[in-house]
Amino acid sequence: MGGESTTRTAPRSGGTSTIGPVGSRTGQRLSGLAVALGLVLFLAGFAWAALIYRPYTVPTSSMTPTIGVGDRVLAQSVDGKEVRRGDVVVFRDSTWVDNSAVVKRVVAVGGDKVACCTNGKLTVNGKQIEEPYLPAGSLAEIKDFPTVTVPAGRLFLLGDERQGSLDSTAHLTDAARGTVASSAVSARVDAVVWPMRGMLKRPTGFETLGALSEPGPLRTIGLMIVVGGVLVLAGGAYGPVAKLLGRLGRSRRETAGAR
């Protein structure tokens, strides 16, 4: 008995070890849920954007500095009846340009009386309009034009770069006196996406004449895509991270046991 050894040896595993599931079951379920929810948000955001937004490239400088030459914009598909003063819209009118979309700003709608200039400012229904989107130091228009009464169902449109824009003022001698049918409008510009300038600023100078258009859901769509992407990445990273943490924990225990 005195020579009996009390040393115990660990059972051999045949050179292999069994590793349990990576992370807890709850963690695995939550990571799977995060990935699934993230994919839904991510794909739904793109699908929603594809349904209501259209990309356009602006080839001229007539809307600078709001939209530069070659800028890529996203425009929400709208009915022309929804257009309000201050909106930057996309429309087609063969008397302006053949087989091409035009981007201009609506400054007056059916029933409005528009003229220029009073103290260097555009007037609509006798009210001077503050237009902070114009190039710094520029007047609302370099040449006077007579008061135009916009017929019902039509729009009067100007470029933000008034000195070089072929807008309603260039068509005053036409039968429609420079106005465009609201039905010709197909979309309202929400944002400049390339280069990344973001959402267009609200044209607050027109608020005294009536309600402005509400911004489209572009911010919500962007948030859905970003949150969805983060959830997919976070959920997908759970397994590798849990596995790495498990290895670190085992390594520390083995180091402590060898002391």
Side-chain angles (χ1 to χ4, degrees), residues 230-242:
V230 170
L231 286 174
V232 169
L233 292 175
Y238 173 78
V241 170

Side-chain angles (χ1 to χ4, degrees), residues 22-38 230-239:
V22 178
S24 67
R25 288 184 178 180
T26 301
Q28 290 176 350
R29 290 174 180 172
L30 289 176
S31 67
L33 181 61
V35 171
L37 179 59
V230 170
L231 286 174
V232 169
L233 292 175
Y238 173 78

Side-chain angles (χ1 to χ4, degrees), residues 75-206:
Q76 180 186 0
S77 298
V78 296
D79 188 295
K81 296 177 181 179
E82 301 175 27
V83 172
R84 296 179 180 176
R85 303 176 192 89
D87 289 347
V88 176
V89 298
V90 180
F91 68 94
R92 291 178 180 270
D93 189 321
S94 60
T95 63
W96 287 43
V97 182
D98 284 331
N99 301 319
S100 181
V102 181
V103 178
K104 301 292 181 186
R105 188 182 296 274
V106 176
V107 298
V109 297
D112 286 346
K113 292 183 178 181
V114 56
C116 193
C117 295
T118 302
N119 298 324
K121 295 181 180 180
L122 183 75
T123 62
V124 180
N125 299 335
K127 297 181 179 181
Q128 297 180 28
I129 306 299
E130 295 292 337
E131 299 183 277
Y133 43 76
L134 296 181
S138 72
L139 299 178
E141 178 59 58
I142 61 172
K143 56 186 178 182
D144 292 340
F145 61 84
T147 300
V148 174
T149 300
V150 183
R154 301 189 70 85
L155 308 168
F156 198 88
L157 305 104
L158 298 177
D160 287 357
E161 176 49 80
R162 302 286 161 81
Q163 297 185 18
S165 175
L166 296 178
D167 48 35
S168 286
T169 60
H171 295 270
L172 291 175
T173 57
D174 295 351
R177 298 201 67 189
T179 64
V180 172
S182 58
S183 59
V185 173
S186 59
R188 180 175 54 228
V189 177
D190 254 5
V192 178
V193 293
W194 186 261
M196 188 66 73
R197 296 184 184 178
M199 302 287 288
L200 297 191
K201 294 181 179 179
R202 288 172 62 77
T204 54
F206 292 92

Side-chain angles (χ1 to χ4, degrees), residues 242-253:
K243 188 174 182 179
L244 176 61
L245 293 176
R247 287 177 178 175
L248 291 175
R250 286 194 296 273
S251 177
R252 290 176 181 175
R253 289 194 295 272

Side-chain angles (χ1 to χ4, degrees), residues 212-246:
L212 305 179
S213 294
E214 291 296 326
L218 190 58
R219 291 185 188 276
T220 301
I221 290 172
L223 183 61
M224 287 173 63
I225 292 172
V226 170
V227 172
V230 170
L231 286 174
V232 169
L233 292 175
Y238 173 78
V241 170
K243 188 174 182 179
L244 176 61
L245 293 176

